Amino acid sequence: MSSLIPLVEKEVKDLLRDPRIYIGLIVPVVIMPIIGFTMSAATHSSIESAVGGGVKVAVLDLDKTQTSLSFLKFANTTGLKVFEVKVDTVKEALKELKGNDAKILIVIPKGFESKISSLEGSTVALYFEVKSVGFGEMSAFLAVDRVVKLYSKTLSDTIISSIKPGINPTVVRTPLNTTSYTVIHDRILSMPPEAVFGQLFMGYGIMVPVVLMIVSIMVAQIAATATAVENEEKTLETLLTLPVSRYEILIAKVIGSTVVAVLGTLFSMLGFALYFRILFPLQEISGSAHLGTTALPAPTPQMYLALCLSLLIAIFFTTSLGVIVGALSSDVRISNSLIGAVIIPIMIPAFLIMYGDVRSLPLALQALVYALPVSYPMIIAKNMILSELPVEAVYGIPYSAGVTLLLLLLTSRLLVPEKLLLLQHKILTRRMRRKGQVSEK
Amino acid sequence: MVKLFGSVRALDELSFQVEEGEVYGLIGPNGAGKTTTLRILATLLLPTKGVVKVFGFDVVSQASEVRQIIAYLAEEAGAYRNLTGYEYLSIIARIYFKSKRRAREAVDWAVEASSLGDRIQDKVKNYSKGMKSRLQVARVFMARPRLAILDEPTAGLDVIHANYIRRLIRDYVRKHGTTVILSSHNMLEVEYICNRVSLINRGRVVAEGSPKDLKTMWEASNLEEVFVKVVGV
């Protein structure tokens, strides 16, 4: 295996210096933060223009009582720019919006004060005129809605206190509360299950499939392109006459492609991380709940090992497929058009696992899912915080290793020009026939 | 040997023997079977019928032994575009020679033989066709093969580069006694560097001998005339 080092060096250097590869590696790191920054800036400016300096709100007060006036005063103190329209109907009031550069109309109905006083409850109507689509529009509406709800709470506090002085109004409003706990491995966590699922989903449900997807497609694409280029440049012909085994040539290609694909994945993940980092303050502005980072029970080392092992096997499996596609392609264009058709269908069962229950699938589909090595990282990721390796993975990892080894052996057997030339010619002829350009050969 | 590609008979009981230290030329028109013959010798293709031996090793059953003693140059073979000429030679040398010192000496020799000077540190994608050919021929002889198989080593080159390659082959063989089998369209080139030649047409050897003997036998002034007379075109 002493020839493996120069062969791997050749693969890695040739790939990393290829502009098609290194530009592909750098692009996510540069583009994702730019997209994040642009989206963040655009959203901020949109919100700023909608709510900055106060949201302009028209009010049609059909009640004209002390309580309705008090509501208007309250709204003014919260930063809204409230102005009253002196008309009699909602239709006329909506027309007034246009002339006053406002989008929101609050209609206080007749009997507003009396219904509140008699504890019947009253309904304030909010009209929102859509003038464009964007974050800013919604933020303006939410700001007004919040003010109305806040005033409702203030009113309820006053009413409850007047009925029974000294009582806590909050207790009256919500007499029944819940505290949620999540139990994992007999360990009680003081956090609701949705928070746990949120963290797990982001961690293992999103990250593992995303990593697997990026690495698998990238590694297969790189291996296919590298091998097709060897065909195109006739370097494979030279390589196959050197005193090295076909297996060494294949392993070098698999290792080289994997190294570059892992680098590419790291760059992509860095790009995504920067993108989310830049967009993160936006979540706080829009008021979405930030899930705490309460520590979940850490997966066992065996689970990590199983996940890494299954990921590595899945990567080797897709790399071998890439080499096969590349070897069968007489040029890079053919390999690029074939690789997607091979890799994407293989990834579909893996996603079935992530978003559904494999055991509830029809038997044929279950067999397909369990037959592919790329399924096992998903199965393990889904069960990551459980103490024991799922039974499918216990048998699946050695099975995948066997399948991948077999595929590698078959691929190395394919690296014989006798077979390659024949298969390449068949593929080329079939493609030309499909395009209506029947080969003259 | 016989080689069939489907229903096409690429080689039709073609047979020849090359002596050690000889420069043996295969000449003939396109599709005559020259490249197929060389690919079989280089263990890339399998003969459909017949036995092919290189220094006693069978190219089918002892292919890995054959690969230890040959170096092959495909027609218009490329090198890795993103490696420098030096890196390319170094990687190939490390595959042939297990000792670092021997590999380094081999690379130094090849750098000198290619006459690429400082351009050896440029990436191969920046080389002209002639420079690539010089690099490839230097790569072949750098391996110190017992048999060098060269498929159209000067195809498409200008006079200066073609002449350089011819001299490189001739000088190396004179100095090291390496056996060379090459193919060419260029009959004058074959006459210049080959001890013996085979004229191939439609997968068969139609004439064989030294250029001088062939010219005498067919009363021709050069090999081109010999070929025309033999084939009868």
Side-chain angles (χ1 to χ4, degrees), chain A residues 169-350:
Chain A
T170 310
V171 174
V172 177
R173 269 197 302 273
T174 51
L176 186 64
N177 287 298
T178 54
T179 308
S180 302
Y181 297 93
T182 308
V183 183
I184 300 173
H185 298 190
D186 305 328
R187 190 178 151 189
I188 300 167
L189 303 171
S190 58
M191 62 196 299
E194 62 263 30
V196 173
F197 289 132
Q199 280 191 43
L200 288 178
F201 193 69
M202 279 308 291
Y204 303 117
I206 299 284
M207 294 314 282
V208 171
V210 164
V211 167
L212 182 67
M213 185 82 173
I214 295 175
V215 179
S216 299
I217 292 176
M218 200 182 274
V219 83
Q221 177 87 51
I222 290 170
T225 305
T227 316
V229 167
E230 295 245 30
N231 273 332
E232 214 173 74
E233 304 267 334
K234 287 194 178 178
T235 46
L236 188 62
E237 211 172 311
T238 303
L239 205 56
L240 292 172
T241 61
L242 299 181
V244 287
S245 71
R246 269 99 174 113
Y247 205 65
E248 280 177 301
I249 294 171
L250 175 65
I251 292 290
K253 212 160 268 303
V254 169
I255 294 174
S257 303
T258 304
V259 166
V260 177
V262 168
L263 266 177
T265 308
L266 289 176
F267 278 107
S268 295
M269 300 313 290
L270 180 65
F272 277 113
L274 290 170
Y275 169 79
F276 284 118
R277 188 87 184 159
I278 290 165
L279 275 185
F280 194 68
L282 192 66
Q283 293 182 343
E284 289 176 342
I285 288 170
S286 60
S288 68
H290 173 60
L291 296 172
T293 50
T294 309
L296 290 174
T300 59
Q302 287 85 348
M303 291 300 274
Y304 275 123
L305 188 70
L307 182 66
C308 291
L309 198 61
S310 61
L311 265 173
L312 199 66
I313 292 170
I315 289 169
F316 277 20
F317 179 78
T318 49
T319 314
S320 297
L321 289 176
V323 173
I324 292 175
V325 169
L328 295 178
S329 309
S330 49
D331 61 55
V332 177
R333 274 180 306 170
I334 295 177
S335 116
N336 283 345
S337 58
L338 287 179
I339 194 70
V342 172
I343 292 300
I344 290 170
I346 281 171
M347 297 306 295
I348 292 171

Side-chain angles (χ1 to χ4, degrees), chain A residues 2-3 6-7 9-10 13-14 17-18 230 233-235 237-238 240-244 246 417-418, chain B residues 3 39 42 44-46 67-68 72 74-75 78-83 87 91 94-96 98 139:
Chain A
S2 57
S3 300
L7 287 173
E9 183 187 323
K10 181 261 297 178
K13 277 185 177 172
D14 196 40
R17 289 177 189 171
D18 189 336
E230 295 245 30
E233 304 267 334
K234 287 194 178 178
T235 46
E237 211 172 311
T238 303
L240 292 172
T241 61
L242 299 181
V244 287
R246 269 99 174 113
E418 181 88 19
Chain B
K3 179 67 188 173
R39 279 180 168 170
L44 289 169
L45 292 178
L46 306 174
R67 282 186 215 117
Q68 299 281 345
Y72 171 68
E75 186 183 356
Y80 298 95
R81 291 169 48 80
N82 301 304
L83 299 184
E87 285 170 335
I91 283 165
R94 281 153 62 200
I95 291 171
Y96 276 104
K98 304 305 165 201
R139 184 265 298 168

Side-chain angles (χ1 to χ4, degrees), chain B residues 76-166:
Chain B
E76 295 189 346
Y80 298 95
R81 291 169 48 80
N82 301 304
L83 299 184
T84 66
Y86 188 89
E87 285 170 335
Y88 176 64
L89 292 173
S90 168
I91 283 165
I92 301 288
R94 281 153 62 200
I95 291 171
Y96 276 104
F97 304 101
K98 304 305 165 201
S99 138
K100 278 185 184 175
R101 186 184 55 81
R102 285 195 65 200
R104 204 170 39 246
E105 282 170 5
V107 174
D108 290 345
W109 178 88
V111 170
E112 182 79 25
S114 69
S115 281
L116 287 170
D118 293 342
R119 296 294 305 276
I120 198 74
Q121 298 296 349
D122 278 4
K123 285 184 186 159
V124 171
K125 65 181 174 189
N126 298 322
Y127 285 9
S128 67
K129 194 172 181 180
M131 289 165 76
K132 282 180 196 165
S133 284
R134 278 152 63 167
L135 181 73
Q136 287 292 353
V137 174
R139 184 265 298 168
V140 165
F141 290 120
M142 172 189 79
R144 300 279 182 266
R146 287 184 73 189
L147 172 66
I149 303 163
L150 312 173
D151 192 0
E152 304 273 1
T154 59
L157 298 187
D158 60 35
V159 179
I160 296 167
H161 281 111
N163 188 46
Y164 184 89
I165 299 284
R166 279 182 213 125

